[in-house]
Amino acid sequence: EAGVAQSPRYKIIEKRQSVAFWCNPISGHATLYWYQQILGQGPKLLIQFQNNGVVDDSQLPKDRFSAERLKGVDSTLKIQPAKLEDSAVYLCASSLDPGASYGYTFGSGTRLTVV
Amino acid sequence: AQSVTQLDSQVPVFEEAPVELRCNYSSSVSVYLFWYVQYPNQGLQLLLKYLSGSTLVKGINGFEAEFNKSQTSFHLRKPSVHISDTAEYFCAVSGGGYQKVTFGIGTKLQVIP
């Protein structure tokens, strides 16, 4: 079974620039999540999709972050404009069910550095 | 609201010694509990989970955890650690349904040769 694919693995941008991350979940996983993991902290949920609908985006900074999941498969997370405090690892995960009773499967993440 | 507290930020332990990583949770509803491991520059990998039933849960790589409802704890244990167990370990809680999974801040396990 192929895992959760994320790209790029690393990205360095200047503040105020824009950046986009891509995620392809495990086939058949209806629920997709984007997490932000700042160095020294646990992952924090940014947004949760169920198929192509948003279930929870309460912690997404909507003035600068946006995400979409077209056709209920791939997803893109965008930051525009980026701030220094956005430096973090962005993790995509998917699960069979919204309650994640089977656990999440995580991708390897995208490490963003904003300078 | 649900939350997780991992009581130790770092745990050094000698190789082949036992280890316990502590996790306490709070939740107003029934809980699903998880432990994940993160190796350097990798995503998180599920070690084990508690959904219901037996309070002693066995996972991969020889790890196990015990759900204690009265103490609201879900501590992770391994009787004999190996160098390859050096990683960061995250405890997580979910209320099931559409409730999000909330992660702790992680515990770095450093296995000393």
Side-chain angles (χ1 to χ4, degrees), chain B residues 16-91:
Chain B
E16 297 183 4
V19 69
E20 178 180 83
L21 305 183
R22 297 180 293 168
C23 172
N24 286 90
Y25 70 91
S26 67
S27 176
S28 58
V29 295
S30 59
V31 293
Y32 295 163
L33 291 158
F34 308 86
W35 277 99
Y36 285 84
V37 60
Q38 187 175 35
Y39 299 102
N41 298 315
Q42 294 187 28
L44 283 74
Q45 179 184 1
L46 181 67
L47 269 181
L48 49 78
K49 61 182 182 284
Y50 171 79
L51 305 180
S52 64
S54 173
T55 57
L56 183 63
V57 180
K58 293 189 183 297
I60 62 172
N61 301 341
F63 284 93
E64 63 181 32
E66 185 159 18
F67 171 61
N68 188 319
K69 188 174 182 178
S70 63
Q71 297 187 10
T72 60
S73 67
F74 191 56
H75 300 332
L76 182 70
R77 302 185 182 102
K78 186 169 183 178
S80 175
V81 296
H82 190 265
I83 293 290
S84 59
D85 293 322
T86 295
E88 191 157 18
Y89 292 79
F90 292 90
C91 183

Side-chain angles (χ1 to χ4, degrees), chain A residues 9 35 37 59 98-99 101 104, chain B residues 36 38 41 49 97 100-101:
Chain A
R9 284 299 309 274
Y35 277 82
Q37 187 177 18
Q59 297 192 87
S101 58
Y104 289 169
Chain B
Y36 285 84
Q38 187 175 35
N41 298 315
K49 61 182 182 284
K100 67 183 180 184
V101 175

Side-chain angles (χ1 to χ4, degrees), chain A residues 65-86:
Chain A
F65 285 65
S66 64
E68 61 181 10
R69 189 182 184 196
L70 299 175
K71 300 181 181 177
V73 183
D74 293 10
S75 178
T76 303
L77 177 69
K78 296 179 181 177
I79 308 175
Q80 182 179 12
K83 293 185 175 182
L84 295 177
E85 59 261 36
D86 298 331

Side-chain angles (χ1 to χ4, degrees), chain B residues 94-111:
Chain B
S94 167
Y98 284 91
Q99 292 200 30
K100 67 183 180 184
V101 175
T102 300
F103 287 83
I105 64 170
T107 297
K108 289 188 173 68
L109 174 63
Q110 177 68 43
V111 180

Side-chain angles (χ1 to χ4, degrees), chain A residues 8-103:
Chain A
R9 284 299 309 274
Y10 305 93
K11 192 74 177 179
I12 301 174
I13 62 172
E14 295 183 350
K15 59 184 179 184
R16 291 187 290 274
Q17 285 187 326
S18 62
V19 64
F21 313 128
W22 173 82
C23 172
N24 184 262
I26 289 178
S27 177
H29 281 196
T31 316
L32 183 146
Y33 316 79
W34 284 102
Y35 277 82
Q36 179 192 57
Q37 187 177 18
I38 293 173
L39 188 65
Q41 299 181 21
K44 182 186 85 172
L45 180 69
L46 291 176
I47 190 167
Q48 175 179 346
F49 290 96
Q50 181 67 17
N51 296 306
N52 60 350
V54 175
V55 173
D56 185 346
D57 63 356
S58 57
Q59 297 192 87
L60 187 74
K62 298 180 186 64
D63 57 334
R64 298 183 300 105
F65 285 65
S66 64
E68 61 181 10
R69 189 182 184 196
L70 299 175
K71 300 181 181 177
V73 183
D74 293 10
S75 178
T76 303
L77 177 69
K78 296 179 181 177
I79 308 175
Q80 182 179 12
K83 293 185 175 182
L84 295 177
E85 59 261 36
D86 298 331
S87 293
V89 176
Y90 291 84
L91 294 164
C92 180
S94 67
S95 67
L96 273 173
D97 65 316
S101 58
Y102 295 96

